Amino acid sequence: MSGVGGSVDAVLIHADADAFFASVEQRDFPHLRGRPMVVGPQVVACASYEARALGVHAGMPLRQAVRRWPELVVADFRGEVYEAVSAELLAMFRDVTPLVEPGSMEEAFLDVSALDGGSVEEAGRIAAGLRERARRELGLPVSAGVARAKLFAKLASRRAKPDGLVVVDAETEARVRPRLPVSDLWGVGPATTARLHDAGIVHVADLVGWSVDGLVERRVARAMARNLVAIRDGVDDATIRLPGPRKSISSTRSLGRATRQRSVVEEALRDNVVRAMERLGDDAREPTRLDVHLRYDDQHAVIQPGSLDEPTRDVPTLVGAALAALGRTAYEEDGRGVAMVGVSFTLPTRRP
């Protein structure tokens, strides 16, 4: 990753497509609009806002969700479609500025400091235009937050959901920053939160008087301690990190009904190999290793390494190596059904 920007004058937008998988399904299938629906297959990968209002959340076993809320509509997981829409969304972000740092397939930070005067007010107008364009051209609701650093931009987009825009100016940031609970800070997990609470640090204001070394003595990781002190002092991260060449390429496919039937599982794996290699496009790098991924109907996941004698893009060779790795999982004798099969290829870091 390469860093760009990060000055105190930075102005960032955090743009995040709402309930991404569910929104794509509701866009493509009008009968799903306004209804509580989820995207499967075995667990809830994404719930619409109508489903979230009932209490459905991602990661919930699908059978449990449907049993508790019989009105739920279940849509198939269409990974290829989501990846294509994600590419369109990120291309739209890059039409606004080349300084885009993706966070996931549906969200990114955009540095708009150099556009239209570089104020948060102007950035708010840029974000509003971006949201309108995403709705008009992609049919997707996108929430956005505008601020001078990543923390507040992300908090703002979270506050804006669903389908809204929140702009945090310098005055608001200065007022809100000391009152932020440390548990709400980006990257602060339950264990770190507990250690901070034990030290009497519940809000950012409670960090006054603490040094990095003092926090480390309380068993806070040094990198996190530096981040906390920077947040307290209002000089936290505003650096856009541009993605470098991808390190791997992959493809997965849900089988719908779990199965141990060899022809079905092997055919899905062959398709994944072909699709993964198609995604390389003009990238001339040759995979150096591969891994076969299985997920069983009880959600247990297996990663089986494959072997390549030498780097290659030859599809028959890659298919053969993937099938050999699949055989080593002994899935046919396992007793459980295979719900998902996939393959990933490791790529050399340097292009030829």
Side-chain angles (χ1 to χ4, degrees), residues 42-61:
Q42 304 296 321
V43 299
V44 175
C46 183
S48 69
Y49 277 92
E50 297 85 356
R52 296 180 191 192
L54 299 176
V56 184
H57 58 82
M60 179 179 288

Side-chain angles (χ1 to χ4, degrees), residues 50-98:
E50 297 85 356
R52 296 180 191 192
L54 299 176
V56 184
H57 58 82
M60 179 179 288
L62 190 58
R63 290 180 182 177
Q64 174 186 328
V66 172
R67 186 165 55 247
R68 183 171 180 182
W69 297 284
E71 65 270 37
L72 279 180
V73 181
V74 180
D76 290 336
F77 185 91
R78 299 187 296 155
E80 295 290 312
V81 174
Y82 308 143
E83 290 182 10
V85 177
S86 171
E88 292 177 313
L89 185 65
L90 290 174
M92 184 174 292
F93 293 164
R94 293 188 178 101
D95 280 348
V96 175
T97 172

